[in-house]
């Protein structure tokens, strides 16, 4: 695909994005360094399992829906989660591929991107509905929770619209402007929002894996290295 | 700590100054205490919740009392998280209501008190079902520790800790009374057929195992000590019970006050060293096991001996054929086993109890949720020491009662004294015809001596 756009849109697609991306990276570096400064609780007990294997096991938890009862019993919810997050990755990816590597965005690739954007949009709508109507979800929801899911859902829709015009040979459209303006906003806003949870994910999972891996609760197939009472 | 005299516990008697309600001065003090509680696990747990609601089916409170949506784990943890966000979340400091942040005020603190003392047993079942790995147990303990330090702690729970601090055990059993009780139990044991030479050695130096007890045992359940001693004698285990720091409980695990947790642990460490034992052996007690096995080495900075539990030791004895058992003793009975949260989920002991049970009976039925997936019975987290929350505790035990009922078992086995008391209460409350026993009580009558 070609990406012949106006100079103004080019500015938005590249230098503005780079600046916003640099800002986001800076915020994440601060966020991560703040977390790394917190002391790790010591572990001086004789281990029954492997803390490192536990951490890996726990990090990969996202790919193992059978490992938690909450996902094991809700496969539909897990599939939604998976598609939604693939949609997130591809939609954000599109904002880089379109200006930087338009040749990679063949018609087939673009359609795959659009399928995930469309599905993620529908899942986003369902998630908004769920947050509004399920009492135990509504009671824990903050405005940021609603704003984040709404923003993502609109982002998918705009991305879908922009790409559907783009594959028809219209790269410089109102949809594309909104798409890139939203991307810029995202890059600036996400570090302050719950959407940045993926930065915290490794911390939570590694903490969990180290504790319960060491105690032999996780990755039970790893033989206890040192514990064998006489 | 007094070294060898009769006085056990700390030198000066203490009565922790508890407060009936939060005052502005207490809230101010809590603000000062918060930063020190934020280790990486607690901070990540406070920052990481995405309000997905996956924890709502994981909690025995929210499952047993579905009409009260404020019992969902994320909601309960948010009572603490709101305060944290008001101080540490970037957006929370500028637009607090947008991210659900809230300055610590009396209303929020009261809510924290209600939900984090009275509606969470720190069982970590939600932690195991959280996609983000939020450690609710650690988070709640941090919040409790802050509230406790300013005096807002359930009175009876704090009394239990104070008693331990002042007396060296949490039921203030005097040393001479304890020795007499052990002698009496030993006599009772020796009256049993084939047990004439069985001993309950007190303060035996150089014994391999330093057996610890829950104070409920010498006080209310001496037969469990008798059963444990019978099994250990039958297997030829070289053990002793200290006349000093034999109490394995540590309720500072529940009230979150680390200096006491460390102090109680240190007494026990010194006592094991005094007797020169190879193993510190945790009796059948859930939080006691976890406190000794997994927390004590961290509180005191490592120990020069090994720490194990009755569950692990008994399983080993069964596997080594050191116990001869007659399953016929239990013919006509059906058993199920309740996994204590601190033993299974937080302790890693899941197969050992089953090895023991299957050696003594042919009719064992698992509950629907077992091992690390077991629901808390409702008696964890110090809940039994908070009578002000008793109706909620009993209501929260419904899911466990339902699962027991579904097994058709007439004997519920477990390895924890808090679980024992809670299971007995819910069995009575929900009209289940079953008896509650620990694993030594299962083995002792089946022994072929």
């Amino acid at each position: 695909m070609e990406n012949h756009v106006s100079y103004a849109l080019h500015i938005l697609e590249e230098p503005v994005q780079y600046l916003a991306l640099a800002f986001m990276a800076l915020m994440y570096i601060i966020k991560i360094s703040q977390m790394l400064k917190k002391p790790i609780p010591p572990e001086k007990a004789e281990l029954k399992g492997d803390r490192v294997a536990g951490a890996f096991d726990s990090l990969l938890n996202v790919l193992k829906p059978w490992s938690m009862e909450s996902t094991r019993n809700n496969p539909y919810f897990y599939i939604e989660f998976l598609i939604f997050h693939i949609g997130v990755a591809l939609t954000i990816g599109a904002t880089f591929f379109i200006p930087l590597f338009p040749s990679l965005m063949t018609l087939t690739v673009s359609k795959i991107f659009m399928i995930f954007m469309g599905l993620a949009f529908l899942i986003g709508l369902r998630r908004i509905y769920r947050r509004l109507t399920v009492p135990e979800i509504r009671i824990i929801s903050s405005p940021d929770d609603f704003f984040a899911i709404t923003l993502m859902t609109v982002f998918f829709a705009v991305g879908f619209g922009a790409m559907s015009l783009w594959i028809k040979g219209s790269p410089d459209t109102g949809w594309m402007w909104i798409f890139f303006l939203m991307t810029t906003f995202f890059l600036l806003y996400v570090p302050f929002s719950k959407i940045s949870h993926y930065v915290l994910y490794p911390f939570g999972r590694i903490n969990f894996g180290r504790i319960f891996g060491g105690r032999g609760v996780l990755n039970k197939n790893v033989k206890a290295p040192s514990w064998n009472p006489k | 700590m007094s070294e060898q005299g009769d006085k056990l516990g700390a030198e000066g008697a203490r009565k922790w100054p508890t407060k009936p309600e939060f005052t502005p001065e207490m809230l101010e003090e809590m603000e000062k205490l918060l930063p020190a509680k934020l280790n990486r696990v607690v901070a990540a747990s406070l920052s990481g919740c995405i309000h997905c609601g996956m924890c709502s089916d994981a909690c025995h409170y929210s499952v047993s009392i579905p009409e009260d949506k404020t019992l969902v784990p994320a909601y309960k943890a948010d009572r603490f998280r709101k305060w944290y966000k008001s101080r540490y979340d970037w957006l929370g400091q500028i637009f607090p209501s947008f991210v659900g942040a809230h300055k610590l005020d009396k209303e929020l603190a009261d809510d924290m008190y209600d939900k984090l003392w009275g509606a969470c047993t720190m069982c970590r079942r939600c932690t195991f079902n959280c996609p983000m790995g939020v450690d609710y147990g650690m988070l709640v303990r941090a919040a409790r520790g802050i509230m406790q330090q300013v005096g807002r702690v359930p009175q009876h729970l704090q009394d239990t800790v104070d008693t331990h601090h002042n007396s060296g055990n949490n039921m203030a059993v005097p040393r001479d009374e304890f020795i007499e009780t052990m002698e009496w139990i030993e006599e009772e044991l020796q009256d049993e057929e084939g047990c004439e030479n069985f001993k309950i050695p007190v303060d035996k130096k150089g014994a391999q195992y330093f057996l610890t007890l829950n104070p409920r045992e010498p006080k209310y359940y001496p037969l469990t000590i008798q059963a444990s001693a019978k099994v250990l004698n039958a297997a030829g285990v070289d053990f002793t019970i200290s006349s000093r720091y034999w109490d394995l409980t540590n309720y500072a695990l529940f009230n979150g006050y680390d200096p006491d947790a460390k102090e109680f642990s240190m007494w026990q460490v010194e006592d094991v060293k005094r007797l020169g034992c190879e193993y510190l052996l945790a009796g059948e007690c859930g939080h006691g096991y976890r406190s000794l096995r997994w927390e004590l080495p961290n509180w005191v900075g490592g120990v020069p001996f090994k720490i194990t539990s009755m569950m692990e030791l008994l399983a080993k004895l069964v596997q080594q054929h050191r116990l001869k058992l007659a399953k016929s003793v239990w013919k006509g009975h059906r058993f199920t086993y309740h996994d204590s949260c601190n033993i299974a989920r937080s302790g890693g002991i899941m197969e050992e109890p089953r090895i023991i049970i299957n050696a003594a009976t042919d009719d064992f039925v698992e509950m629907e949720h077992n091992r690390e997936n077991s629901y808390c019975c409702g008696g964890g987290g110090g809940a039994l020491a908070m009578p002000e929350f008793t109706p909620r505790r009993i209501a929260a035990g419904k899911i466990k009662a339902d699962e027991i009922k579904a097994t058709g078992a007439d004997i519920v086995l477990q390895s924890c004294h808090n679980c024992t008391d809670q299971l007995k209460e819910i069995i009575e409350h929900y009209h289940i015809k079953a008896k509650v026993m620990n694993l030594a009580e299962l083995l002792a009558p089946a022994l072929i001596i």
Side-chain angles (χ1 to χ4, degrees), chain A residues 212-230:
Chain A
F212 296 103
R215 294 182 185 188
V217 185
L218 302 179
N219 46 276
K220 291 172 195 158
N221 53 342
V222 175
K223 296 292 176 206
S226 58
W227 188 235
N228 185 25
K230 291 172 194 166

Side-chain angles (χ1 to χ4, degrees), chain A residues 44 46 145 194 215 228, chain B residues 50-51 293 298 316 346:
Chain A
K44 293 186 180 293
E46 189 172 10
D145 293 318
K194 71 168 279 191
R215 294 182 185 188
N228 185 25
Chain B
I50 51 171
H51 292 154
R293 177 68 178 86
N298 299 323
K316 201 82 184 172
S346 281

Side-chain angles (χ1 to χ4, degrees), chain B residues 244-297:
Chain B
R244 296 174 63 77
Y245 293 104
W246 47 268
D247 179 0
L248 85 165
T249 68
N250 196 329
Y251 274 59
L253 180 72
F254 299 144
N255 81 352
Y257 189 54
D258 286 334
D260 277 352
K262 184 177 175 178
E263 178 179 58
F264 304 161
S265 300
M266 195 53 93
W267 290 340
Q268 212 136 40
V269 169
E270 293 302 322
D271 216 19
V272 176
K273 288 201 284 196
R274 174 177 70 90
L275 294 180
C277 297
E278 187 182 350
Y279 287 90
L280 172 54
L281 175 62
E284 293 190 63
C285 173
H287 91 278
Y289 163 72
R290 181 181 149 202
S291 297
L292 294 187
R293 177 68 178 86
W294 294 110
E295 313 298 347
L296 176 146

